[in-house]
Amino acid sequence: MQDNQVLFEIKDLCKSFGDNLVLDHISTEIRKGEVVVIIGPSGSGKSTFLRSLNLLEEPTGGSITFEGLNITDPKCNINKYRQKIGMVFQHFNLFPHKTILENMTLAPMKLLKKTKEEAESQAMELLKRVGLEEKANAYPSQLSGGQKQRIAIVRSLCMNPDVILFDEPTSALDPEMVGEVLNVMRDLAKQGMTMAVVTHEMGFAKEVGTRVMFIDEGQIKEENTPEEFFKNPKNPRLQEFLSKVL
Amino acid sequence: MLSVYAFIRIEEYTDSTFLREDIKVNFREEFYLNFIQDDRWRYITKGLGTTFAVTFFAVILGVALGIVIALIRSTADKSGSKSIVLKIADWICKVYLTVIRGTPAMIQLLIMYYIVFASPNVSKQFVAILSFGINSAAYVAEIFRSGIMSIDNGQFEAGRSLGFSYAQTMIYIIIPQAFKNVLPALANEFITLLKETSICGYIALTDITHGANTIRSQTYSPLLPLLAAALIYLIIVSVLSMLVEKLERRLRTDAR
């Protein structure tokens, strides 16, 4: 795969819950190697947008194309594409009945048909990368929030995804644990992982993001490079939002 | 007059050694009469076998059927039942649960024996297993459904986002956690079922209760046979509870 290849192509994406229109004709694309940071006030639809990308929320209109295939087509086998789209949640969602190692090897063994040895050696390598190899046989309940989220990130990496979606990965963490999670994400970005990140961490957006997107009232009100985005915001809603959070 | 009577009673019972001897002799005689004579103990052992067999197979049938119903019901709940097939299946399950939980197990057993099968050639044990299994499935289904619904939706989303299908997510992630949560309630249901099989006698199937009652009707001495039956139930339930507690402790790995 060459760089700059379009991974996600989103056209007129709409999502409504009953009469409530949450996403209002969103069109954009995400290219390989990009780190797209999505910000916006709460209730703006930014999480719904992110969750639509792997169809955890089923769009009510428009289309999403992933690696050239329309995944909103009802005939498409979404399970196949979700393997290539990692996801990290606000509340980690580790499997509490399985050890850390089992959390990481379950999907590769069952879905990619890896042997136990292959899956475990890959998992141990990833655990070393985030400095948690001694937790391999611990259960999620024995870990701190920051450790859980680092595990959740490497669990998604075990499937060798082409892109990882982060849904407010640091919002449920104690302040002193935010840094360790952001560090892992920063390393990932450096290695060229494509990422879409919904976050309130403006520092991360400025430093790591290649593009920042402001979603409000279900629409992308502004998107730009981080420098332009934070220095010269054009949309009045964005100006107001930034004045509050910066 | 009354005081004289009382005096005689006291005279009679102050000799406590005599009293103890009396009970001992009585017990030996009673025991012989109820269990040894004419090999009456066979009623109890035969009944024990039946109770075990009916309970065991009814539990298997109940769990199998119960899981299927729980999966249909919770899938319909989760997906907002979009497909028409699922809607119909969900409706059938709801009717089934209402009927089974709304009528006594004894009536169900009698209907199964006298109306559904209505044939002297069918095995009574089979009828009992079927009837109790179908009865238990309704309760097991609701226990499992509550267990599945109690698992945080994030677990489900995590499974699906890794690429697991709905069924795989259920099997690898949701059901193991749900099972652990409902184990106490499930054990309770099995214990209830075991005791519920004591109505087998109504279709003349010899379980423990019916066996003990048969002895009583032959010897006209209710104390020992009924106490023996009660004791046997108590022992089985105690052992069962102990095993479940052990299993629970083994499964409680993630709770520190």
Side-chain angles (χ1 to χ4, degrees):
Chain A
M1 254 184 300
Q2 77 219 46
D3 246 20
N4 286 335
Q5 184 199 354
V6 177
L7 278 186
F8 278 112
E9 196 178 347
I10 298 125
K11 270 192 195 139
D12 290 326
L13 182 66
C14 291
K15 171 74 184 178
S16 50
F17 296 102
D19 291 338
N20 186 13
L21 189 62
V22 183
L23 297 182
D24 184 6
H25 294 87
I26 287 190
S27 296
T28 187
E29 52 184 41
I30 297 175
R31 288 169 181 278
K32 191 170 163 47
E34 272 194 303
V35 178
V36 179
V37 180
I38 303 159
I39 65 170
S42 64
S44 60
K46 55 190 191 306
S47 269
T48 308
F49 170 64
L50 191 80
R51 289 160 54 83
S52 298
L53 294 181
N54 66 353
L55 299 196
L56 280 186
E57 302 288 352
E58 256 178 73
T60 41
S63 71
I64 301 169
T65 308
F66 176 69
E67 295 181 346
L69 278 148
N70 182 359
I71 57 172
T72 40
D73 184 344
K75 282 195 289 271
C76 142
N77 175 12
I78 184 60
N79 299 327
K80 200 102 197 105
Y81 300 104
R82 281 193 180 131
Q83 295 179 13
K84 306 233 132 240
I85 308 172
M87 176 121 191
V88 174
F89 299 87
Q90 181 177 359
H91 295 288
F92 331 126
N93 298 347
L94 298 180
F95 307 134
H97 61 303
K98 296 196 172 295
T99 64
I100 299 309
L101 203 58
E102 288 166 349
N103 260 279
M104 296 174 68
T105 55
L106 180 70
M109 279 164 62
K110 301 288 182 195
L111 296 172
L112 304 180
K113 306 290 173 209
K114 285 193 182 181
T115 65
K116 194 167 182 231
E117 289 72 36
E118 280 175 325
E120 283 187 351
S121 78
Q122 184 200 17
M124 286 310 293
E125 215 164 279
L126 284 165
L127 280 177
K128 252 176 230 157
R129 246 168 74 183
V130 294
L132 288 171
E133 67 262 45
E134 79 278 10
K135 298 288 185 193
N137 294 312
Y139 282 90
S141 60
Q142 297 164 314
L143 269 55
S144 73
Q147 290 172 331
K148 279 183 203 169
Q149 196 61 297
R150 278 142 70 197
I151 297 297
I153 294 171
V154 287
R155 179 177 71 179
S156 74
L157 284 176
C158 283
M159 291 296 286
N160 305 316
D162 293 340
V163 54
I164 302 184
L165 314 175
F166 293 82
D167 188 5
E168 304 203 21
T170 56
S171 298
L173 295 177
D174 289 342
E176 77 263 33
M177 292 172 180
V178 171
E180 60 190 72
V181 171
L182 291 182
N183 280 338
V184 172
M185 291 169 64
R186 194 174 290 126
D187 286 347
L188 266 183
K190 264 186 212 148
Q191 284 155 22
M193 176 59 76
T194 312
M195 296 158 64
V197 188
V198 170
T199 187
H200 298 290
E201 297 292 330
M202 297 304 150
F204 179 84
K206 264 185 218 170
E207 184 203 330
V208 184
T210 57
R211 175 156 54 113
V212 187
M213 196 183 274
F214 177 67
I215 291 187
D216 188 35
E217 294 167 331
Q219 295 170 329
I220 300 178
K221 291 281 161 88
E222 186 156 344
E223 53 182 327
N224 217 329
T225 59
E227 299 84 51
E228 276 298 301
F229 186 91
F230 287 105
K231 263 185 209 146
N232 293 314
K234 291 171 194 77
N235 184 286
R237 293 276 302 179
L238 173 58
Q239 290 166 354
E240 189 194 332
F241 179 76
L242 288 179
S243 73
K244 279 179 193 156
V245 296
L246 288 181
Chain B
M1 186 65 200
L2 203 73
S3 61
V4 173
Y5 177 72
F7 175 75
I8 293 167
R9 300 283 297 177
I10 290 166
E11 275 293 88
E12 208 175 319
Y13 283 98
T14 34
D15 191 352
S16 58
T17 39
F18 169 73
L19 181 67
R20 238 178 276 138
E21 278 305 308
D22 191 42
I23 287 177
K24 256 189 215 161
V25 171
N26 248 335
F27 179 79
R28 216 174 291 140
E29 274 173 14
E30 285 278 306
F31 191 87
Y32 182 80
L33 175 71
N34 282 303
F35 301 123
I36 311 295
Q37 204 177 56
D38 298 335
D39 281 345
R40 293 207 171 97
W41 55 273
R42 284 177 189 277
Y43 287 114
I44 300 280
T45 50
K46 189 177 167 231
L48 189 63
T50 306
T51 296
F52 271 135
V54 170
T55 308
F56 180 75
F57 289 109
V59 160
I60 290 178
L61 180 62
V63 168
L65 201 56
I67 287 180
V68 171
I69 295 167
L71 285 176
I72 292 173
R73 296 267 291 117
S74 48
T75 304
D77 280 0
K78 267 188 204 291
S79 65
S81 51
K82 264 169 270 172
S83 97
I84 187 80
V85 182
L86 195 58
K87 253 185 195 170
I88 293 171
D90 187 38
W91 184 80
I92 293 173
C93 289
K94 271 185 195 159
V95 171
Y96 169 81
L97 293 177
T98 310
V99 170
I100 295 296
R101 294 197 299 168
T103 53
M106 195 201 289
I107 299 287
Q108 291 163 17
L109 181 66
L110 293 176
I111 288 176
M112 189 66 87
Y113 185 64
Y114 289 110
I115 301 175
V116 177
F117 284 98
S119 151
N121 299 326
V122 69
S123 144
K124 285 172 184 166
Q125 197 155 313
F126 172 76
V127 173
I129 289 169
L130 202 62
S131 179
F132 286 117
I134 288 174
N135 176 273
S136 183
Y139 296 94
V140 171
E142 285 302 89
I143 290 170
F144 266 115
R145 190 173 73 94
S146 73
I148 289 170
M149 299 313 266
S150 75
I151 303 299
D152 179 50
N153 203 37
Q155 291 291 310
F156 199 80
E157 289 184 344
R160 295 307 302 271
S161 75
L162 283 169
F164 286 117
S165 67
Y166 180 90
Q168 287 172 319
T169 307
M170 275 290 172
I171 293 167
Y172 298 131
I173 295 155
I174 305 297
I175 291 177
Q177 295 183 59
F179 180 73
K180 203 187 305 180
N181 287 357
V182 301
L183 199 58
L186 214 50
N188 233 348
E189 165 55 24
F190 296 156
I191 287 169
T192 307
L193 176 64
L194 173 82
K195 290 182 292 182
E196 192 108 71
T197 60
S198 62
I199 58 174
C200 278
Y202 280 84
I203 59 169
L205 178 61
T206 302
D207 71 322
I208 298 174
T209 307
H210 191 245
N213 206 30
T214 306
I215 296 174
R216 181 200 58 78
S217 68
Q218 290 177 359
T219 61
Y220 297 106
S221 157
L223 183 72
L224 282 190
L226 295 186
L227 276 189
L231 189 67
I232 292 170
Y233 282 114
L234 188 63
I235 290 170
I236 301 173
V237 169
S238 303
V239 170
L240 223 58
S241 306
M242 214 175 64
L243 289 178
V244 170
E245 211 169 291
K246 250 191 188 152
L247 183 63
E248 256 180 88
R249 223 174 304 138
R250 258 192 53 195
L251 286 176
R252 211 185 297 142
T253 43
D254 55 308
R256 249 174 284 214

